Amino acid sequence: AQKVTQAQTEISVVEKEDVTLDCVYETRDTTYYLFWYKQPPSGELVFLIRRNSFDEQNEISGRYSWNFQKSTSSFNFTITASQVVDSAVYFCALFRPGGSQGNLIFGKGTKLSVKP
Amino acid sequence: SAVISQKPSRDICQRGTSLTIQCQVDSQVTMMFWYRQQPGQSLTLIATANQGSEATYESGFVIDKFPISRPNLTFSTLTVSNMSPEDSSIYLCSVEGGRDEQYFGPGTRLTVT
């Protein structure tokens, strides 16, 4: 069975703090993709990153960084020097290419609140 | 990336009525997906719509309740039929981009009273 677990339901930080959002996944596939999406209060889903299962290099994009650890089946997301605009719900998702419908399996999301 | 628009952006409907949600993509795509996000919850796939064939529904979703059309490679509709308050959700259209990326429309916020 495929599953994505985001154990942190809500996190609250003060602006400029660093924050890490955890994501643990389960799959028996050797080829898969992991995604992070941001959903601000307006409701749209914003694509942040895609990582394939063969690429364990960590990635940094501005204040965002992602740590992919296949050994622990984790794909954690860190925001450095958080800002109020980072307040949103963040979803981690697992995608299996060539699967029955190729759909994304989402975690339950982590609501991040960044206070000024 | 694909640019996706949805209509309406939000609606308030009475129970027992139906609402059709439209999804338009700025490029031709093979697969389109419809997701539901109930209040405070994660996203759940309703169905996959391929052009020229019947939509494929996930467990717990049936065609009579959520009929889908896919008349061409850039457009799809989802109808929420015989609505009840439990259908109050955000409905999102999604498409596959290149390199197995998946993009989402802005969503339709439905409230059923």
Side-chain angles (χ1 to χ4, degrees):
Chain A
Q2 299 190 94
K3 186 179 177 182
V4 176
T5 301
Q6 295 179 256
Q8 305 149 308
T9 306
E10 291 194 43
I11 300 176
S12 183
V13 299
V14 176
E15 208 170 18
K16 297 184 183 176
E17 285 186 17
D18 298 346
V19 58
T20 296
L21 309 181
D22 298 333
C23 173
V24 175
Y25 63 93
E26 295 176 28
T27 181
R28 293 183 179 177
D29 294 312
T30 55
T31 302
Y32 52 89
Y33 295 91
L34 296 162
F35 290 77
W36 276 95
Y37 288 89
K38 174 182 179 180
Q39 188 175 43
S42 52
E44 76 274 23
L45 270 175
V46 178
F47 167 82
L48 295 178
I49 190 172
R50 180 195 70 119
R51 172 66 69 210
N52 77 54
S53 53
F54 298 107
D55 182 1
E56 288 194 69
Q57 274 195 328
N58 292 331
E59 180 151 342
I60 298 174
S61 177
R63 296 183 297 106
Y64 296 168
S65 63
W66 291 268
N67 183 2
F68 179 29
Q69 299 271 353
K70 258 177 118 168
S71 60
T72 56
S73 297
S74 65
F75 186 43
N76 296 338
F77 172 33
T78 297
I79 301 175
T80 303
S82 59
Q83 300 176 2
V84 172
V85 294
D86 296 326
S87 297
V89 180
Y90 291 85
F91 291 98
C92 180
L94 172 67
F95 177 86
R96 183 182 63 179
S100 58
Q101 274 79 38
N103 60 286
L104 285 166
I105 298 167
F106 284 84
K108 292 188 181 296
T110 297
K111 182 178 181 180
L112 174 64
S113 299
V114 182
K115 303 188 186 308
Chain B
S1 64
V3 177
I4 305 169
S5 60
Q6 286 185 233
K7 289 182 182 179
S9 58
R10 59 178 64 230
D11 207 341
I12 301 173
C13 301
Q14 291 192 336
R15 71 169 67 215
T17 63
S18 298
L19 176 72
T20 295
I21 302 168
Q22 298 179 8
C23 176
Q24 181 76 51
V25 190
D26 69 341
S27 57
Q28 293 185 340
V29 294
T30 303
M31 298 173 80
M32 296 178 77
F33 307 91
W34 286 98
Y35 286 81
R36 180 176 74 179
Q37 186 180 23
Q38 294 176 301
Q41 302 296 314
S42 187
L43 284 79
T44 302
L45 181 68
I46 297 172
T48 302
N50 288 340
Q51 193 268 335
S53 62
E54 293 282 332
T56 303
Y57 289 82
E58 297 299 301
S59 175
F61 298 97
V62 295
I63 187 171
D64 290 346
K65 176 68 176 177
F66 297 101
I68 288 172
S69 78
R70 183 77 202 276
N72 58 52
L73 291 173
T74 62
F75 187 79
S76 178
T77 67
L78 168 76
T79 299
V80 186
S81 304
N82 188 25
M83 288 184 283
S84 67
E86 292 71 36
D87 295 320
S88 297
S89 298
I90 299 175
Y91 292 86
L92 297 110
C93 170
S94 173
V95 303
E96 280 187 353
R99 301 169 63 207
D100 291 314
E101 295 175 351
Q102 205 160 337
Y103 298 96
F104 287 82
T108 296
R109 288 180 182 269
L110 171 62
T111 302
V112 184
T113 59

